[in-house]
Amino acid sequence: MGVGKSTVGELLAARLGTTFRDTDADIVAAEGREISEIFVDDGEPHFRALERAAVARALAGHDGVLALGGGAVLDADTRRLLTGLPVAYLSMEVAEAVRRTGLDAARPLLAVVNPRQQWKRLMEERRHLYTGVARVVVATDGRTPEEVADGVLDALELRKA
């Protein structure tokens, strides 16, 4: 959450001369409402089903750079679909998350009494899933989106000659 997946993804797509797609944006467009509304109105299980389908469609029909929502890797089928692909996990520490997002209620999984503690808990639960599907891990703390994009290109050895 707030790591810069969309911003970095767009930069990567431009540098690689390909297209960019964000599955969260796909869900918002298809549903006609924000993700936070889907969570509140229909619950997390419904959102996760939408997310699972959006990721499967995107992986089947898009050959450019793809950004997945932070919870997409919770699904075992999604993790299987990502196997062997050049996946980059953009990591950040809680202090950076606070600086970037303020850890506010606009993020449905952080709409709790202690969002900082909730973010840490979510990361502890998910980090092994992120690293399990990722070919590379690129830290984003204190780096500009351009620097992160460069880091991804270098780590995945995707620089165009």
Side-chain angles (χ1 to χ4, degrees):
M1 282 178 241
V3 75
K5 296 178 298 284
S6 297
T7 302
V8 171
E10 289 174 352
L11 288 168
L12 287 170
R15 291 177 185 184
L16 293 168
T18 190
T19 56
F20 171 75
R21 186 167 173 182
D22 183 325
T23 57
D24 280 351
D26 290 351
I27 294 167
V28 168
E31 292 292 306
R33 55 194 172 140
E34 295 300 316
I35 289 170
S36 58
E37 293 176 63
I38 298 168
F39 264 80
V40 170
D41 296 344
D42 302 321
E44 185 176 358
H46 178 74
F47 172 75
R48 295 296 174 208
L50 295 172
E51 182 175 55
R52 181 180 319 108
V55 170
R57 278 191 306 274
L59 287 170
H62 179 76
D63 61 359
V65 175
L66 182 63
L68 306 184
V73 297
L74 297 173
D75 182 73
D77 290 333
T78 296
R79 292 193 304 273
R80 277 191 286 282
L81 290 173
L82 294 171
T83 300
L85 297 177
V87 176
Y89 161 40
L90 305 183
S91 70
M92 77 177 163
E93 297 301 321
V94 69
E96 185 78 358
V98 169
R99 187 184 70 73
R100 290 186 189 185
T101 70
L103 296 179
D104 59 22
R107 300 184 184 275
L109 290 178
L110 299 176
V112 295
V113 174
N114 187 342
R116 186 182 182 111
Q117 186 62 36
Q118 174 71 353
W119 187 92
K120 287 169 104 172
R121 187 184 65 74
L122 286 171
M123 290 309 302
E124 287 169 8
E125 291 173 358
R126 296 177 179 184
R127 187 170 282 116
H128 74 282
L129 298 173
Y130 295 148
T131 58
V133 300
R135 190 175 296 172
V136 299
V137 178
V138 177
T140 65
D141 299 78
R143 297 171 83 183
T144 66
E146 292 79 9
E147 291 168 333
V148 174
D150 286 341
V152 171
L153 290 172
D154 291 341
L156 289 173
E157 299 177 350
L158 294 175
R159 289 230 183 242
K160 290 189 170 192

